[in-house]
Structures are given as structure tokens and as C-alpha cells.
Amino acid sequence: MTLTKFTSAIAGGVALSAILAGTAFADPALIYDGGGKFDKSFNESAYNGAEMYKKETGNSYSDLEITGDAQREQAIRQFATKGFSPIIIPGFSWATALTTVAPDFPDTHFVIIDSVVDLPNVRSVVFKEQEGSYLVGILAAMKSESGKIGVVPAFNFDLLEAFACGYKEGAKSVNPDIDVLETYVGAGFEAFNDPGKATEVTKSQLDQGVDVVFQVAGGAGAGVLQAASDAGKFGIGVDSNQNYLHPGHVLTSMVKRVDVAAYNAMMDEMNGTWSAGTVVLGLAEEGVGAAFDENNADLITPEMKAAVDDATAKIISGDIVVHDYREDKACPV
Amino acid sequence: MSARVPLPRWVDVALLPVLNVMLAFLIGGIVVMLVGQNPLDAVGIMIYGAFGYGSGFGYTLYYTTDFIFAGLAVSLAYQAGLFNIGPEGQAYVAGLGVILVALALNGLPWLVTVPAMIVAGGLFGAAWAFIPGYLQAKRGSHIVITTILFNFIAVSMMGYIISKHLKPDGVNSDESAPIDAISRVPQLNVFWDLFKHSPVNISFILALLALVGVYWLVWRTKFGFAMRVLGQNPTAARYAGISNSRMIMITMALAGAMAGMVAVNNVGGVQGRLILNFVSGAGFVGVAVAFMGKGHPFGVALSALLFGALYQGGQELAFSMPGITREMIVTIQALVILFTGAMGDMLRPPLERVFFKPPDNSSAEGG
């Protein structure tokens, strides 16, 4: 009897110290949105940020993919209960679940990307996607020979329209007569996971004379780039730098530095400089931009690069204000 | 080969499914081993995740609730010889009915709103299933094809309705306005602390009632008898004076209403709002559940529990074992569906050989 009491006391002590250790050296956690970890796009970008943190600091982190909406709250709660912090959740679909769970764990730090949750222990990171899309729009218009370019969002959705609208504005700043076709992959979130359908939609645009296509479809975008490459035309990647996917056929990528947002959150936590509140990352903060690397070096002429640099400077200085579709749900061009 | 002898009943309803599940786990275990993890640990984690603690068990029962309703939607139609592959779409459309009444009655206590949600969800689900039923009964369009296609129509239609009409201003993701906490289907953790932080709600009890109700309807009523006659021999049914087309339409509507209860569980209870694609495959799992459960409510209950445990245990596995990805969990779940559904009869011939007793010998010895 005393022996069992003794052992259970030890076991309890060990468990307690494990919990204490857990809180003292909190590991960050990353929970991916529906598209999944290796979507070569949005979620993968967050993953890359976490890997960057791991490599630089030697610290570890945990991550998880979810299979349904009911698991959102559950996953956040699981990591919070186990003492992880910060818990990084890329994707606007997390907003409701986070709003429910975050108040239960006031000492845990949360980071949501692409949406704003106004709570004292939440950092919200949003991007000015329209600014980066403006730049790739310039490149698309300058590259196009047919005078027709395309954009393929996953579905009709405000955030994705912000990309499309910035792209149109950028393209029309170069060539006011350019034709911009916009076709959706599908009607809902599952469109992000449907590269087959994305390929079909893109082929239809290409058949109509489009020679540069901007994908705004996350994981499904692989199908857009594939179709453009197969037809000997040009695709434009999104979120991550996708120039390497079909070298010579990906004109550029509208990178959204989700990796930087994830990396910064983890580093800030480690350095004790974590802060709540809304962080807006635009061109000035290098949160968005057009990707230039060895894979697209041959596609970009010095004039194109100069035009992008010029527009970048003007957007940062405020001489050009790129319209944000989300403000009034309308696109001026 | 002599004529096939039917298996003893206990082998047919108990041993065969258990062997199928074990076979699925065996192959799943090999998959786990190939990625360098211990399959026995994985099974341990899955069982712990599904039954080992209160909120995990709550999640298991939450998934079970969905699978019971979807499984009954398939079973009920199957009794009348109709292969309903449409619970996914029926549940999705039912979500519209649930959210419309819930938002109209928003703020009233759940004792008022929940019955209204059940009725509305049932009606919308029934309506969505009635159309394929009508097309089958009056136009001869095959129910398998139409119900599958109606799933796609539901996805597009609901996507449009949610993003263009139900979405409130200032909300980023595609979802309706939320239902007030007081008007939602109450979660069981209100009554039992055991289920704290888990989504299982009163719909689970509704699911248990539905199991009993379907049993009573199919095997204890005149209507159920007519249904089964139609299922086993449509010609005999017509000869007996049963209106086959009327039976088909009513049965499909009932099946759709059953699928509609998935929406009560999710829209009315768990999420408290209508979100895009909230059914997330539960309707399709219902097909596997119904076939594994041999279309009988008791079997449906057990196989729904199995799949509920697989879903929740799978989540626990993904959380606890870093090497196990979401895709592997889906693979294991798919193996169970494959072995219990599509290849459910694979082990039947060897079992028949094992349990086969030569008739002449037994009569000579047994007397």
C-alpha cells in the first residue's frame, strides 16, 4: 500500500516536472489548413518558415494536418493543452475556432495568418496581396504577345479576388487594352485541392489565346502551371516561389512570405519579443513580391525588371495605391 | 463445386466482418511499419485516442452520430432495393434548412429551435432525395447515377448560396452568420463533464432513437413490409398491389430526411453555423457503414462506432506520431472500407469451406 503510494507519488512528480519542463521550453506548433502540408504553396510556405527556424536554432517544433472542420478546435486545444507556444495557424478558416479556444489559454500565444482575430494573446498577420499581384501583372502584360492574359482563382472569394484585382491593375498599367480573362477552378474550398479541374480551366483559357496565366489556387495551382507549361506558354506561381516547378515556363511567382511570418513568430517567442496585435505585410515590409531567381532569369528582360523596380518604389512611396478588393468588394479595372 | 451452403448466422454477421477489419489493420500495420513506426504502438494510440479519455471519446461519438445517420440513409433505401449514394448531398442541402430556421428563431431556447431544426433539416434532406426518387420511379433514371450527380449539384448550389447570400459582411471565410449559443443543439458536456471540449451533442441521442425507429419501421410495420417486398422482388410487389413508384419516392424521401440529421448534428450543434462543405465525406462513409452493417440498424450502429473510432483515433495518431501523415490515416481508413465493403465477401469462400459439413456424413452419423 505504502509502496504503491510512493511510486504513484514519484510518477506524479515526474509527470509534473515534465509538464513544468514543457512550459519552460515551449516548442512552437504549426497546424496546416485544408490544403495540407506539401501543397507547394501557402501551407508549404509556413512549413518552410518553421524548417528555417529549426535549422537556425536547432530547436524543434510540432506540426499537424487536419482532415475536417470539426478538427480545428480540437487541434488547437491539443497543442495548447500540451503547452506549445506559439501555435501558428495559417489560413482564414481558422478564425472562428481560434476565437473560441484562445481565451481558454491566456498564457499561450497564437498566430493566425490571413485573418484578424482581435484577442490579447493572438497575433494576426495579413498581407497586401494586391501589391505583389500588381507587380506580376506588370510582368504578365509585358511578356504577353497575344494581348490576352489570364488569372485562375480557386473560386469566387474576396481574398482571391484581391490577388486578381491587383494583377489586372498592374497589367493595365502597362497595356490599357490588355484582355484579362478570369476563370474559377470550382465553387468552394475543395477547389484548392483539385489540380485536374485547374488544368482543364487553364486549357480553356489558353485555347482562347491567353499566353500568361496567374494561378491563385493554392494546391490546385500545380495544374495551372502544368497546363501552361505543356502548351509552351507561361504560368505565374503564387504564395511560395514556384519558379522551379517548370523552369522556363513559370514567368515569376507572387510570393507571399508566410514563411517569414511563421519564422518571425517562432523567433520572437524564443527571444521573448512576442507581441500580439495585427501585422500587415506589404511590399514595403517585403511580405509580398515577385520572385526572381535562376529559373526565370532568361524570361525576364532588363526592361521588365526595371518596370517592376519602378512600380515597387512607387507603391512603397505611396505614388501608386493598389486597390484592395476586400475594402469595397469591387475592382476598378 | 456443389451448391453453396449458407454460412452459420454468427459467422456471417460477426466473424466475417471482424476478420475483414483485422485484415485491413494487418495491411495498415504494414504501411505503418514501412514508415518506420511501430504498428502496435499506433494501434494503442488509436484506441487511446478513440476511447481513452473523455473528450476523445466525445469526438468518437460525434463522428459516430454522423455515420449512423448517413448509414441509415443508405440502409433504409437499400431495404427497398435502392442504392442511395447521395447522403453527402442530402445532408449538405439539409444544412440550408437547418440554418434558415435556426437564424429565423435565433435567440429562442433550444427546446424550441432544435425540434424546428430537425423538421427543417429533415424536409430539406427529404426534398433533395425525393427528386432522384421521382426520376427513378417515373422516368426510370437510375438512382445510383442521379444520387451521385445530385451530390455535385448540391456542392455547387450550396457554394453559391453560402458565399453569395448567407455570408455576413466582414466575414472572411465562407460561412453563414452564427446561431446564438442558447439556440444551438446542446452539447452533452453541458450534462456530463466527461465530454468536456468535445462536440458530441444531443444529436447522438437522436441517432440512437433513429436506429430504433428504422428497425421498427422496416421490420414492424406494414409500410416496412411493403418496402422489403419491393426490395426483394419488385414484380411480386406490384402483383401484391403495392405501388412501386410511390414506395420508391417515399423511401427516398425518408432516406434523405435521415441524411438531413447530419446537418442537425453539425450545423445546429457543432459549428453552430453553415460552413462550406461541412459534411466533409460523412455521407460517403455512410455507404461503407451501411454495407458493413448489412443494412441492419444494429450493424449500422456497430460499424458507425468503428468508423467513428477510426476517425478520432486517426486524428490522435496524426497528433502523437510525427511520422504518420494525414494521407496514411486516410489509407488505413480506406483499407477498412475496401475490405469490409468492396471486398467484404472475399473471405466467404474459404469460410464456407471451413464451415461446410458434408450433408450425407452428418445424416449418417448424427441420426
Side-chain angles (χ1 to χ4, degrees), chain A residues 18 38 47 99 106 122 134 158 171 191 194 221 234 255 268 280 284 329-330:
Chain A
F38 295 114
Y47 164 76
T99 313
V122 176
Y134 187 91
D158 290 355
D194 196 346
F234 301 102
V255 290
D268 289 356
V280 181
K329 299 198 188 293

Side-chain angles (χ1 to χ4, degrees), chain B residues 68-152:
Chain B
I68 287 177
F69 287 130
L72 285 179
V74 179
S75 303
L76 199 59
Y78 193 69
Q79 292 297 343
L82 300 162
F83 200 171
N84 176 17
I85 322 260
E88 186 82 10
Q90 290 147 18
Y92 202 1
V93 173
L96 181 62
V98 170
I99 200 71
L100 286 180
V101 296
L103 291 180
L105 303 174
N106 210 358
L108 294 175
W110 66 270
L111 276 172
V112 180
T113 54
V114 171
M117 283 193 254
I118 292 172
V119 171
L123 283 176
F124 274 65
W128 199 248
F130 175 82
I131 307 170
Y134 170 83
L135 292 173
Q136 168 79 66
K138 302 287 188 190
R139 294 285 177 272
S141 317
H142 202 285
I143 203 93
V144 171
I145 307 295
T146 46
T147 49
I148 290 176
L149 293 180
F150 265 64
N151 288 334
F152 291 106

Side-chain angles (χ1 to χ4, degrees), chain A residues 34-36 64-67 69-71 74 77-79 82 92 96 104 114 155-157 188-190, chain B residues 59 62-63 155 164 167 172-175 197 271 273 275-277 312 315-316 318-319 325-327:
Chain A
L64 182 68
E65 293 174 283
I66 55 159
T67 48
D69 202 77
Q71 291 182 353
Q74 182 184 23
R77 216 177 269 286
Q78 274 171 330
F79 279 115
K82 294 248 163 94
F92 46 80
T96 309
D104 292 350
D114 264 6
F155 63 108
N156 186 346
F157 183 69
F189 279 87
E190 66 284 351
Chain B
Y59 268 95
Y62 153 69
Y63 290 119
V155 167
K164 293 296 168 202
K167 186 162 98 165
N172 234 348
S173 48
D174 276 353
E175 56 188 52
H197 299 316
Q271 286 119 16
R273 60 202 204 283
I275 60 173
L276 271 187
N277 201 18
Q312 165 54 18
Q315 200 277 347
E316 187 77 26
F319 179 74
T325 64
R326 184 172 66 166
E327 285 72 20

Side-chain angles (χ1 to χ4, degrees), chain B residues 6-326:
Chain B
L7 287 169
R9 195 162 162 71
W10 69 272
V11 176
D12 197 16
V13 302
L15 186 62
L16 190 59
V18 168
L19 285 177
N20 284 332
V21 171
M22 280 171 64
L23 204 56
F25 269 97
L26 197 69
I27 301 203
I30 293 173
V31 174
V32 172
M33 239 152 74
L34 284 176
V35 299
Q37 302 278 356
N38 183 340
L40 287 177
D41 286 353
V43 171
I45 291 173
M46 283 182 92
I47 293 174
Y48 170 74
F51 302 104
Y53 60 102
S55 86
F57 187 46
Y59 268 95
T60 300
L61 292 186
Y62 153 69
Y63 290 119
T64 305
T65 310
D66 274 354
F67 299 154
I68 287 177
F69 287 130
L72 285 179
V74 179
S75 303
L76 199 59
Y78 193 69
Q79 292 297 343
L82 300 162
F83 200 171
N84 176 17
I85 322 260
E88 186 82 10
Q90 290 147 18
Y92 202 1
V93 173
L96 181 62
V98 170
I99 200 71
L100 286 180
V101 296
L103 291 180
L105 303 174
N106 210 358
L108 294 175
W110 66 270
L111 276 172
V112 180
T113 54
V114 171
M117 283 193 254
I118 292 172
V119 171
L123 283 176
F124 274 65
W128 199 248
F130 175 82
I131 307 170
Y134 170 83
L135 292 173
Q136 168 79 66
K138 302 287 188 190
R139 294 285 177 272
S141 317
H142 202 285
I143 203 93
V144 171
I145 307 295
T146 46
T147 49
I148 290 176
L149 293 180
F150 265 64
N151 288 334
F152 291 106
I153 302 175
V155 167
S156 298
M157 183 183 84
M158 293 295 288
Y160 171 77
I161 293 174
I162 294 171
S163 60
K164 293 296 168 202
H165 295 288
L166 290 175
K167 186 162 98 165
D169 286 339
V171 173
N172 234 348
S173 48
D174 276 353
E175 56 188 52
S176 74
I179 309 169
D180 288 351
I182 188 177
S183 308
R184 293 187 193 182
V185 183
Q187 301 199 330
L188 291 186
N189 58 35
V190 178
F191 312 103
W192 288 290
D193 215 35
L194 172 72
F195 295 122
K196 202 163 194 299
H197 299 316
S198 72
V200 62
N201 55 61
I202 299 244
S203 312
F204 176 65
I205 293 164
L206 187 66
L208 297 181
L209 292 175
L211 287 167
V212 179
V214 166
Y215 174 80
W216 176 80
L217 179 76
V218 174
W219 280 277
R220 289 286 177 271
T221 66
K222 211 169 113 185
F223 178 82
F225 179 73
M227 211 161 115
R228 284 181 291 135
V229 174
L230 169 65
Q232 281 164 26
N233 193 334
T235 316
R238 195 171 328 117
Y239 190 71
I242 296 167
S243 164
N244 287 2
S245 61
R246 187 168 155 269
M247 284 302 299
I248 289 172
M249 290 187 284
I250 296 176
T251 307
M252 278 308 288
L254 282 175
M258 219 28 107
M261 296 304 111
V262 171
V264 175
N265 185 23
N266 287 284
V267 178
V270 182
Q271 286 119 16
R273 60 202 204 283
L274 179 60
I275 60 173
L276 271 187
N277 201 18
F278 73 88
V279 191
S280 58
F284 294 121
V285 175
V287 178
V289 165
F291 276 79
M292 196 181 165
K294 306 237 174 268
H296 191 284
F298 188 68
V300 166
L302 285 183
S303 51
L305 184 65
L306 172 73
F307 278 95
L310 275 178
Y311 264 60
Q312 165 54 18
Q315 200 277 347
E316 187 77 26
L317 192 58
F319 179 74
S320 306
M321 262 194 183
I324 305 280
T325 64
R326 184 172 66 166

Side-chain angles (χ1 to χ4, degrees), chain A residues 139-149 175 178 209-212 232-234:
Chain A
L139 291 173
M142 291 177 84
K143 192 74 188 173
S144 172
E145 288 167 4
S146 64
K148 263 190 188 176
I149 59 172
N175 174 6
I178 200 159
V210 164
D211 54 4
V212 185
K233 305 287 197 244
F234 301 102

Side-chain angles (χ1 to χ4, degrees), chain A residues 16-332:
Chain A
L16 188 65
S17 59
I19 292 168
L20 289 176
T23 48
F25 307 102
D27 271 343
L30 177 59
I31 319 174
Y32 305 100
D33 207 349
K37 188 172 180 176
F38 295 114
D39 62 353
K40 296 198 164 39
S41 190
F42 181 74
N43 290 294
E44 191 162 339
S45 183
Y47 164 76
N48 289 336
E51 284 293 305
M52 200 152 69
Y53 162 84
K54 189 174 162 183
K55 219 165 97 191
E56 266 179 38
T57 64
N59 294 345
S60 58
Y61 71 97
S62 284
D63 59 355
L64 182 68
E65 293 174 283
I66 55 159
T67 48
D69 202 77
Q71 291 182 353
R72 291 185 190 277
E73 228 182 282
Q74 182 184 23
I76 304 176
R77 216 177 269 286
Q78 274 171 330
F79 279 115
T81 311
K82 294 248 163 94
F84 286 87
S85 186
I87 297 169
I88 301 163
I89 38 181
F92 46 80
S93 311
W94 288 99
T96 309
L98 183 60
T99 313
T100 317
V101 179
D104 292 350
F105 298 92
D107 297 330
T108 303
H109 297 153
F110 298 94
V111 179
I112 185 164
I113 297 171
D114 264 6
S115 186
V116 175
V117 170
D118 192 13
L119 287 169
N121 55 340
V122 176
R123 173 190 289 183
S124 312
V125 183
V126 289
F127 292 88
K128 292 179 181 165
E129 288 88 358
Q130 66 277 14
E131 295 185 350
S133 303
Y134 187 91
L135 300 184
V136 301
I138 290 176
L139 291 173
M142 291 177 84
K143 192 74 188 173
S144 172
E145 288 167 4
S146 64
K148 263 190 188 176
I149 59 172
V151 54
V152 180
F155 63 108
N156 186 346
F157 183 69
D158 290 355
L159 172 68
L160 307 179
E161 296 296 344
F163 284 83
C165 185
Y167 175 73
K168 286 178 198 163
E169 254 189 278
K172 303 236 168 176
S173 75
V174 175
N175 174 6
D177 299 327
I178 200 159
D179 230 351
V180 187
L181 300 190
E182 182 173 358
T183 328
Y184 305 113
V185 176
F189 279 87
E190 66 284 351
F192 281 118
N193 301 324
D194 196 346
K197 182 86 187 299
T199 304
E200 280 174 39
V201 162
T202 309
K203 276 185 181 157
S204 137
Q205 283 199 354
L206 295 167
D207 288 346
Q208 295 171 62
V210 164
D211 54 4
V212 185
V213 192
F214 180 26
Q215 74 99 344
V216 195
V224 176
L225 301 180
Q226 181 75 52
S229 168
D230 288 350
K233 305 287 197 244
F234 301 102
I236 297 177
V238 83
D239 292 351
S240 292
N241 181 349
Q242 299 181 317
N243 295 0
Y244 72 94
L245 286 178
H246 304 277
H249 290 286
V250 180
L251 181 61
T252 181
S253 298
M254 202 302 267
V255 290
K256 182 166 145 179
R257 302 306 299 270
V258 178
D259 52 345
V260 173
Y263 170 81
N264 284 346
M266 292 180 174
M267 289 303 279
D268 289 356
E269 179 82 15
M270 193 180 80
N271 299 328
T273 53
W274 194 87
S275 58
T278 304
V279 179
V280 181
L281 300 178
L283 266 184
E285 296 81 13
E286 295 184 356
V288 293
F292 299 105
D293 60 12
E294 69 279 6
N295 290 312
N296 68 345
D298 296 342
L299 306 175
I300 308 287
T301 62
E303 296 81 56
M304 290 161 78
K305 184 75 173 59
V308 167
D309 289 342
D310 181 49
T312 306
K314 281 183 177 157
I315 291 171
I316 293 175
S317 71
D319 289 341
I320 297 177
V321 177
V322 187
H323 180 74
D324 183 358
Y325 178 90
R326 287 161 288 198
E327 276 169 14
D328 56 1
K329 299 198 188 293
C331 193

